[in-house]
């Protein structure tokens, strides 16, 4: 039976449990007099005060990923910018997970789930005046395939793509080689943002440098690694997501985004009013924010639980018993309580509970150091040195290393170092300035950590299959059973059947030591003297709804 999208309106939920927080560093005395200038007022519902339009929203990001092509980069900061300058065919309700219309006002799906026909809105334009048409949607999907590895997440969402056929000025049919149950949800992901033809014609490196034209409520006016990002409002924006509180022109005239990489400085800037909004906050800065006028907004991410991932090209991890022992030697509750002051929850699965594909694998994630030692003995690490570290009979030491560029998880690594040493595993921590010369498949060390946010179990296929050159940890070391289950997950339509497949593949990933889930990430942001602060399902802020508090 073909399915057609419903037409509905849902308001983004208001912030629950907002907390009072205090300044964490000496940035007090910052000029907070830059109030919104009353250039216009937005219509208000009966009994409500009209919202003032104008002024500058000052935002502090914690990092600059130096690539703002929505099709290329999966990092949260890049997707946050994309969310505010470009729109997607559909959106996903944070409360229900339901897919709702956006640029596509309706759709039909073929019985075999290989064809998706979208009817587009006819009133949408890009910021250069170009209208949204079916040809533009086709060109976007074709471009993602054409730039290949540069768009590794986007291309993964289009795996098995055959073509997009334009069947009318505002009707397009997207075809796949085989059933693609995940694709409708994928159309709500920023990696499939619809960009203007003028952007698609540029070389990928120029788009990455911020030359992006979308149909969103803001335009990307400039990007400079030293000066930050400048967004300007679109006066004619009138087709916001039905999940926005404000479907028209944004309240602020512009958004000035700066990069504050030191976590306590970022938190102090928002607590003191030096910036209006800070995102994302490092966990260590949250407890110290206790008594200012700023408020916190937490989002439990629908993602892969933050893991440690053994790299399969490293000889030390050829035996799955060695990989599995890492998980058994890990005390997750102690990690989150000590490293993150209890702000996060210990992982109970490969996915977080807010991901629709979550499976409770608590039985596999118990702290069991005795079983870890038994597996290491079986794997040949039978000798124990005077420092307690294991070795093989011929003297090979059980030593594993991680190199990292950010100190975000350094305290956690130090705790793991202590826990694993109890089982005879030496864990070497090596901070470095840059890892850009390597891919995950030729890192000169043994462990990595990587999560991907997406509200669908299919996120597992991107990260833990052997399919994708730049992001799949099993590339070159395929596990046929894992790959088959992930392919089945992509093509299975029935919701309950998908959950069964999802749990089966997650169990294999843990049992065979392909991942060591550690904790479920809650993403924190903070804001000062704002109202209307909301976020999408992934916690990305919706600047179109932000307005200055009275």
């Amino acid at each position: 039976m073909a399915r057609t999208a419903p037409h509905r309106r849902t308001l983004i939920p208001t912030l629950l449990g907002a907390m009072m927080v205090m300044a964490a560093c000496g940035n007090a005395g910052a000029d907070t007099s830059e109030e919104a200038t009353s250039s216009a007022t937005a219509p208000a519902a009966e009994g409500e005060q009209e919202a003032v339009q104008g002024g500058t929203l000052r935002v502090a990001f914690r990092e600059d990923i130096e690539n703002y092509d929505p099709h290329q980069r999966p990092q949260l900061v890049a997707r946050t910018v994309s969310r505010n300058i470009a729109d997607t065919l559909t959106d996903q309700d944070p409360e229900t997970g339901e897919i709702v219309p956006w640029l596509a006002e309706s759709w039909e799906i073929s019985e075999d789930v290989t064809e998706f026909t979208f009817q587009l809105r006819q009133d949408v334009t890009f910021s250069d005046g170009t209208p949204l048409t079916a040809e533009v949607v086709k060109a976007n999907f074709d471009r993602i395939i054409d730039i290949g590895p540069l768009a590794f997440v986007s291309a993964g969402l289009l795996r098995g793509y055959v073509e997009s056929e334009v069947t009318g000025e505002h009707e397009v049919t997207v075809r796949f080689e085989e059933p693609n149950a995940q694709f409708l949800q994928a159309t709500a992901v920023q990696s499939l943002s619809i960009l203007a033809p003028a952007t698609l014609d540029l070389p990928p490196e120029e788009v990455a440098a911020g030359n992006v034209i979308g149909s969103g409520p803001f335009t990307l006016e400039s990007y400079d690694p030293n000066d930050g990002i400048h967004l300007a409002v679109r006066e004619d924006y009138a087709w916001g997501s039905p999940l926005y509180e404000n479907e028209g022109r944004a309240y602020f005239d512009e958004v000035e985004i700066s990069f504050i990489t030191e976590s306590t400085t970022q938190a102090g800037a928002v607590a003191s009013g030096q910036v209006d909004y800070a995102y994302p906050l490092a966990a260590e800065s949250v407890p110290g924010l206790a008594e200012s006028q700023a408020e916190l907004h937490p989002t439990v991410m629908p993602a892969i639980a933050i893991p440690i991932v053994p790299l399969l090209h490293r000889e030390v991890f050829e035996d799955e018993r060695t990989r599995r022992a890492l998980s058994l030697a890990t005390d997750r509750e102690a990690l989150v309580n000590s490293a993150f002051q209890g702000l996060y929850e210990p992982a109970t699965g490969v996915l977080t509970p807010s991901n629709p594909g979550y499976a409770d694998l608590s039985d596999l994630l118990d702290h069991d150091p005795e079983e870890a030692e038994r597996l290491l003995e079986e794997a040949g690490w039978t000798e124990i040195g005077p420092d307690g570290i294991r070795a093989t009979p011929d003297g090979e030491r059980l030593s594993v290393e991680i190199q990292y560029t950010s100190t975000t998880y350094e305290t956690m690594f130090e705790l793991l170092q202590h826990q694993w040493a109890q089982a005879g595993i030496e864990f070497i921590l090596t901070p470095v300035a840059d890892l850009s010369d390597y891919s995950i498949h030729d890192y000169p060390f043994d462990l990595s950590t990587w999560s991907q946010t997406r509200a669908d179990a299919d996120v597992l296929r991107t990260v833990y299959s052997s399919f994708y050159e730049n992001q799949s940890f099993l590339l070159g070391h395929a596990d046929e059973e894992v790959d088959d289950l992930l392919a089945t997950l992509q093509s299975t339509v029935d919701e309950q059947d998908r959950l069964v497949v999802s749990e089966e593949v997650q169990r294999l990933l843990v049992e065979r030591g392909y991942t060591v889930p550690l904790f479920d990430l809650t993403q924190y942001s903070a804001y000062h003297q704002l109202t209307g602060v909301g976020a999408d399902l992934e916690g990305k802020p919706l600047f179109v709804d932000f307005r200055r508090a009275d």
Side-chain angles (χ1 to χ4, degrees):
M1 178 186 301
R3 285 152 286 172
T4 303
H7 294 260
R8 58 188 290 276
R9 175 176 171 80
T10 303
L11 296 181
I12 198 90
T14 57
L15 298 181
L16 301 177
M19 303 166 55
M20 302 301 291
V21 291
M22 92 176 187
C25 66
N27 281 334
D31 180 7
T32 59
S33 62
E34 186 181 352
E35 297 294 329
T37 304
S38 181
S39 58
T41 56
E46 185 176 351
E48 293 182 359
Q49 185 176 358
E50 290 184 333
V52 174
Q53 293 179 346
T56 300
L57 175 67
R58 299 160 301 174
V59 175
F61 285 168
R62 206 171 75 240
E63 64 175 339
D64 173 15
I65 56 91
E66 300 181 352
N67 185 325
Y68 292 93
D69 181 349
H71 295 163
Q72 289 191 47
R73 293 302 290 270
Q75 282 84 353
L76 195 59
V77 166
R79 294 205 310 276
T80 296
V81 174
S82 299
R83 176 80 205 205
N84 288 284
I85 66 172
D87 302 327
T88 48
L89 291 179
T90 66
D91 205 357
Q92 189 169 12
D93 192 315
E95 291 184 318
T96 67
E98 180 183 359
I99 305 301
V100 300
W102 192 355
L103 295 183
E105 59 185 8
S106 65
W107 54 84
E108 292 185 354
I109 305 174
S110 65
E111 293 281 359
D112 62 359
V113 201
T114 62
E115 296 186 359
F116 298 74
T117 299
F118 297 94
Q119 299 289 339
L120 306 178
R121 292 182 62 141
Q122 300 183 28
D123 60 344
V124 177
T125 61
F126 297 96
S127 59
D128 63 356
T130 306
L132 172 71
T133 65
E135 287 285 359
V136 174
V137 174
K138 168 182 166 58
N140 271 264
F141 292 161
D142 289 349
R143 184 249 186 179
I144 288 170
I145 299 301
D146 289 344
I147 64 176
L150 292 176
F152 51 92
V153 171
S154 306
L157 301 178
L158 292 173
R159 186 169 185 261
Y161 177 78
V162 174
E163 64 174 352
S164 293
E165 180 185 0
V166 174
T167 49
E169 185 178 4
H170 294 96
E171 181 180 277
V172 60
T173 297
V174 184
R175 293 194 176 91
F176 295 91
E177 295 173 349
E178 56 189 20
N180 196 346
Q182 62 84 40
F183 178 64
L184 184 62
Q185 190 277 336
T187 63
V189 175
Q190 267 57 63
S191 295
L192 295 187
S193 295
I194 304 301
L195 309 179
T199 296
L200 306 179
D201 291 341
L202 294 174
E205 60 272 17
E206 290 190 27
V207 184
N211 294 301
V212 183
I213 299 172
S215 63
F218 291 93
T219 61
L220 202 168
E221 294 296 299
S222 66
Y223 158 63
D224 185 288
N226 297 313
D227 296 332
I229 297 172
H230 178 211
L231 307 182
V233 73
R234 277 198 68 178
E235 296 287 350
D236 61 344
Y237 190 71
W239 46 84
S241 163
L243 301 178
Y244 292 171
E245 290 183 358
N246 171 24
E247 294 185 33
R249 181 206 190 273
Y251 300 109
F252 283 100
D253 287 341
E254 58 184 356
V255 181
E256 293 289 354
I257 300 171
S258 57
F259 305 113
I260 303 179
T261 57
E262 208 285 314
S263 59
T264 56
T265 304
Q266 182 201 33
V270 69
S272 65
Q274 188 176 17
V275 300
D276 305 306
Y277 183 80
Y279 174 82
L281 293 172
E284 64 267 19
S285 69
V286 173
L289 303 168
E291 294 176 357
S292 81
Q293 295 302 307
E295 294 182 89
L296 283 175
H297 183 198
T299 301
V300 181
M301 303 296 280
I304 291 174
I306 301 297
I308 284 282
V309 182
L311 299 176
L312 300 182
H313 66 276
R314 304 293 289 179
E315 184 178 352
V316 67
F317 288 130
E318 288 180 353
D319 193 314
E320 74 176 55
R321 292 170 294 190
T322 303
R323 304 192 300 265
R324 176 74 178 121
L326 296 179
S327 183
L328 294 164
T330 300
D331 185 340
R332 292 163 177 81
E333 187 168 357
L335 280 184
V336 298
N337 288 337
S338 297
F340 305 116
Q341 297 80 48
L343 288 169
Y344 302 148
E345 292 294 324
T348 56
V350 179
L351 299 175
T352 64
S354 58
N355 190 295
Y358 168 74
D360 187 348
L361 306 182
S362 301
D363 57 312
L364 296 179
L365 298 178
D366 286 338
H367 179 217
D368 191 344
E370 291 183 359
E371 178 64 7
E373 293 183 29
R374 186 188 70 80
L375 288 178
L376 293 174
E377 288 277 341
E378 285 187 1
W381 307 101
T382 55
E383 307 301 311
I384 301 178
D387 58 357
I389 299 303
R390 290 179 174 272
T392 61
D394 60 3
E396 180 186 352
R397 190 174 171 86
L398 180 48
S399 181
V400 296
E401 180 187 12
I402 190 167
Q403 295 182 15
Y404 51 95
T405 58
S406 169
T407 59
T408 300
Y409 296 145
E410 193 165 54
T411 300
M412 180 188 73
F413 292 155
E414 291 169 351
L415 290 166
L416 279 175
Q417 188 179 53
H418 174 74
Q419 291 180 5
W420 290 357
Q422 308 309 303
I425 305 166
E426 181 180 44
F427 186 22
I428 298 173
L429 313 182
T430 307
V432 295
D434 182 41
L435 287 171
S436 60
D437 291 338
Y438 303 101
S439 75
I440 59 173
H441 309 297
D442 61 5
Y443 280 149
F445 48 90
D446 309 298
L447 296 157
S448 184
T449 182
W450 177 265
S451 176
Q452 184 70 38
T453 300
R454 185 184 170 198
D456 191 279
D458 188 66
V459 69
L460 296 166
R461 176 172 56 92
T462 303
V463 177
Y464 291 115
S465 71
S466 66
F467 302 150
Y468 306 112
E469 180 179 347
N470 287 344
Q471 201 173 4
S472 296
F473 279 107
L474 272 65
L475 182 76
H477 303 271
D479 184 315
E480 186 175 345
E481 191 173 0
V482 168
D483 278 351
D484 286 349
L485 285 168
L486 291 173
T488 300
L489 185 65
Q490 180 188 7
S491 60
T492 299
V493 176
D494 182 83
E495 191 171 314
Q496 290 304 312
D497 289 345
R498 288 193 94 217
L499 284 172
V500 170
V501 176
S502 177
E503 177 170 355
E504 187 175 354
V505 71
Q506 289 175 71
R507 283 192 173 274
L508 283 185
L509 292 173
V510 174
E511 289 171 347
R512 296 180 182 176
Y514 295 131
T515 185
V516 181
L518 298 177
F519 65 90
D520 298 332
L521 178 64
T522 296
Q523 200 72 266
Y524 288 89
S525 62
Y527 57 97
H528 184 91
Q529 295 186 347
L530 295 174
T531 188
V533 176
D536 67 6
L537 190 67
E538 297 179 349
K540 300 189 298 297
L542 308 174
F543 295 149
V544 68
D545 286 338
F546 286 26
R547 55 192 182 273
R548 189 75 65 191
D550 295 332

